[in-house]
């Protein structure tokens, strides 16, 4: 989202050169630049020791498709902390091992930057948050049947493919 007015004092912003960033909206009263802002989310693929992936159904996203675990980052929180927090809140899983970053992905439709992660949890009963209508462990090869259709904007599929690559090359996935 690009600012037209100063969020602090309401003055109409002017465009002013900010070094290499080019012309950026600027408040001449507060003497500060207002760079465009966007929302940061985490998207976490949680798998267990049997190569099953935790998929959840969130009624506010879809009645039909399931999703990886996702949530908005909070101010002051790292993406890693947000990933672990969302998994605990949504599934009741408190112990993750080998939480690792897979990359970032734009969801252009809503201007959200998704931070992708993969983590291992021991197979356990999932305790759902009230945000979810269901959650289940799905065998890795069945996962595409439940996700939103693949597209260039579908971060869940990108992280899923990342996971398949890791299994193939056996990086980070020693069978326990
Ligand atoms: Zn201002």
């Amino acid at each position: 989202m690009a600012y037209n007015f100063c969020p602090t004092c309401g003055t109409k912003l002017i465009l002013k050169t900010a070094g290499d960033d080019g012309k950026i909206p600027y408040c001449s009263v507060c003497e500060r630049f207002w760079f465009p802002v966007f929302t940061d989310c985490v998207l976490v693929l949680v798998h267990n020791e049997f190569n099953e992936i935790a998929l959840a159904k969130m009624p506010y996203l879809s009645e039909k498709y399931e999703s990886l675990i996702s949530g908005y980052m909070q101010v002051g929180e790292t993406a890693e902390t947000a990933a672990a927090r969302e998994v605990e809140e949504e599934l009741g899983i408190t112990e993750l091992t080998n939480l690792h970053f897979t990359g970032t992905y734009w969801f252009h439709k809503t201007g959200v930057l998704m931070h992708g992660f993969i983590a291992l949890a021991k197979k356990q009963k999932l305790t759902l948050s009230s945000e979810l209508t269901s959650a289940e462990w799905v065998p890795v090869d069945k996962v595409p049947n439940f996700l939103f259709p693949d597209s260039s904007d579908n971060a869940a599929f990108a992280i899923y493919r990342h996971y398949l690559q890791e299994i193939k090359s056996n990086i980070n996935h020693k069978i326990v």
Side-chain angles (χ1 to χ4, degrees), residues 5-6 30 39 44 71 76 84 94 104 123 126 153 155 160 167-168:
F5 294 89
C6 176
C30 300
T39 304
V44 193
T94 54
T104 50
K123 186 164 186 175
L126 302 171
D153 242 20
Y160 172 68
I167 294 177
K168 216 169 142 192

Side-chain angles (χ1 to χ4, degrees), residues 5-11 13 26-32 34:
F5 294 89
C6 176
T8 303
C9 73
T11 299
L13 302 176
Y26 179 83
C27 178
S28 48
V29 176
C30 300
E31 299 184 326
R32 65 163 286 185
W34 290 96

